[in-house]
Amino acid sequence: MNVPVKLQIGDEIRIVAPSRSGAILSEDGVKSATERLEALGFKVTFGTYAFESDLQHSASIEHRIEDVHEAFRDPAVKGILTVIGGFNSNELLPFLDYELIGNNPKVFCGYSDITAIASAITAKTGMITYSGPHFSSFSMDIGREWQTEFFKKCLMQEEHFAITPSEQWSDDSWYMDQENRTFEPTEWKVYNEGTAEGQIFGANLCTLNLLQGTEYMPDLGDSILFLEDDEMTIPETFARDLASLLQVAGEIRGLVIGRFQRSSKVTDEQIQYILDKHPMLQNIPVLYDVDFGHTQPMFTFPIGGEAILNSADCSIELTKF
């Protein structure tokens, strides 16, 4: 795998919107996210069409492609952050210039719907991409410090590091009310104990499944899958989507499941019931309720990178990122 050069203080980060438009963000949100990235030492610039908005709160395929290509083409740009997630980044996949992207490797980070474009880039170019905070995520006040710490560790340092649980988590609508938030203690949970070392693939489950049967789907065999889903899922759809992905993946080495939002009703009981259906999961390490996905805070991890998973002591060490 081709590991992009790590970000450094003074680097330019380009903000692009391959899914939903930046127009859905408030002016205060854009201002605070920009200021916080600048406080980390970055120069922040925006794609020409990052705030274009159509009937579905996105931009045209042509304009989104142009912004992504320009971000990879511009030698001054060292990292690319997505504005936010959404529903339609997979529309771009047939039109991306993967040769251009592969010849200009650089940090590309986002989560949720960005899973489609990030996974496709990794599959087509061999370049590691990253599941982690969007540009908009930096406008969050409480809980941002832990999230930023692991963003920096994954994208700005060379040394191997262990991902450890946050102290507390929340799934409230922080972007609507930054003051009145509810947190509770974090607990990563063990479904099956064991250790595994391997390549990481995954992120948003329902989005990754959109790539099945296409040339944009990574080879998931012998990988450690990191999977999460959002409040639009329910236990039945999570069960269906997980079964579908495991059938495509074949043998995997480990499974790490991000924490579900409460409104999904994917409870401990439901997770145990769903995982019990799969014999392969009885013989590999499996963790769940882990700090990534659509709850806060989240850590950053490399799609196509490598990790050592020890579910018995709830540890994840990134070794290639």
Side-chain angles (χ1 to χ4, degrees):
M1 279 289 165
N2 188 354
V3 181
V5 174
K6 297 300 181 186
L7 297 176
Q8 300 179 22
I9 292 173
D11 280 351
E12 178 179 339
I13 292 181
R14 180 67 51 83
I15 312 303
V16 298
S19 191
R20 276 192 166 178
S21 166
I24 71 170
L25 307 180
S26 68
E27 289 186 13
D28 286 344
V30 173
K31 183 175 183 290
S32 63
T34 301
E35 290 174 347
R36 284 163 179 170
L37 284 167
E38 289 174 343
L40 294 177
F42 301 122
K43 175 184 177 182
V44 178
T45 58
F46 295 87
T48 302
Y49 303 104
F51 294 91
E52 180 180 284
S53 187
D54 60 16
L55 184 63
Q56 295 186 345
H57 310 292
S58 187
S60 69
I61 291 174
E62 293 79 9
H63 286 171
R64 284 181 282 153
I65 287 288
E66 186 173 333
D67 273 358
V68 171
H69 284 170
E70 180 55 28
F72 277 101
R73 185 184 297 116
D74 188 341
V77 174
K78 306 303 181 185
I80 305 168
L81 286 185
T82 54
V83 167
I84 200 166
F87 298 92
N88 62 350
S89 75
N90 68 322
E91 293 177 341
L92 306 188
L93 305 188
F95 308 105
L96 288 170
D97 185 338
Y98 295 100
E99 183 176 2
L100 166 68
I101 294 169
N103 288 337
N104 295 277
K106 55 190 69 178
V107 166
F108 180 88
C109 182
Y111 75 104
S112 192
D113 186 60
I114 303 305
T115 298
I117 187 172
S119 297
I121 288 172
T122 297
K124 295 287 285 185
T125 71
M127 182 184 84
I128 287 175
T129 55
Y130 299 91
S131 180
H134 298 302
F135 165 74
S136 55
S137 305
F138 285 88
S139 63
M140 182 176 70
D141 291 340
I142 307 171
R144 180 174 43 82
E145 291 81 5
W146 186 93
Q147 187 165 281
T148 301
E149 175 188 355
F150 283 96
F151 175 87
K152 291 167 62 178
K153 284 185 174 182
C154 192
L155 302 183
M156 298 183 72
Q157 75 174 43
E158 301 283 353
E159 297 81 11
H160 296 183
F161 67 94
I163 302 171
T164 53
S166 64
E167 291 186 0
Q168 57 181 6
W169 69 276
S170 175
D171 75 342
D172 50 22
S173 301
W174 61 268
Y175 44 88
M176 297 179 67
D177 186 351
Q178 295 263 27
E179 301 297 328
N180 301 299
R181 300 190 60 191
T182 302
F183 286 84
E184 58 186 271
T186 295
E187 180 188 2
W188 291 7
K189 297 173 183 175
V190 180
Y191 173 75
N192 199 47
E193 293 188 357
T195 60
E197 183 172 357
Q199 198 170 17
I200 300 170
F201 286 109
N204 187 249
L205 174 58
C206 66
T207 303
L208 184 61
N209 273 347
L210 298 175
L211 305 185
Q212 289 193 32
T214 74
E215 62 189 276
Y216 313 112
M217 185 69 161
D219 181 358
L220 306 180
D222 286 327
S223 67
I224 299 175
L225 291 179
F226 282 47
L227 302 176
E228 58 86 16
D229 230 323
D230 63 16
E231 63 185 355
M232 296 181 70
T233 196
I234 57 173
E236 290 82 357
T237 56
F238 172 61
R240 177 179 63 185
D241 289 347
L242 178 63
S244 180
L245 189 70
L246 292 178
Q247 289 163 12
V248 169
E251 295 296 322
I252 61 172
R253 297 184 181 183
L255 176 62
V256 182
I257 300 174
R259 188 184 298 109
F260 284 90
Q261 292 159 292
R262 295 181 186 88
S263 60
S264 71
K265 303 295 192 294
V266 183
T267 61
D268 263 27
E269 182 182 22
Q270 287 284 356
I271 289 177
Q272 295 275 344
Y273 172 74
I274 292 166
L275 298 182
D276 282 348
K277 295 182 178 185
H278 300 284
M280 75 167 71
L281 302 183
Q282 316 312 310
N283 301 305
I284 61 173
V286 180
L287 281 178
Y288 67 99
D289 273 7
V290 177
D291 287 299
F292 68 96
H294 287 74
T295 63
Q296 302 83 41
M298 74 181 78
F299 60 73
T300 303
F301 64 87
I303 297 172
E306 296 177 6
I308 299 171
L309 169 64
N310 185 334
S311 60
D313 63 8
C314 293
S315 70
I316 302 169
E317 181 184 359
L318 295 187
T319 57
K320 188 173 185 179
F321 53 94

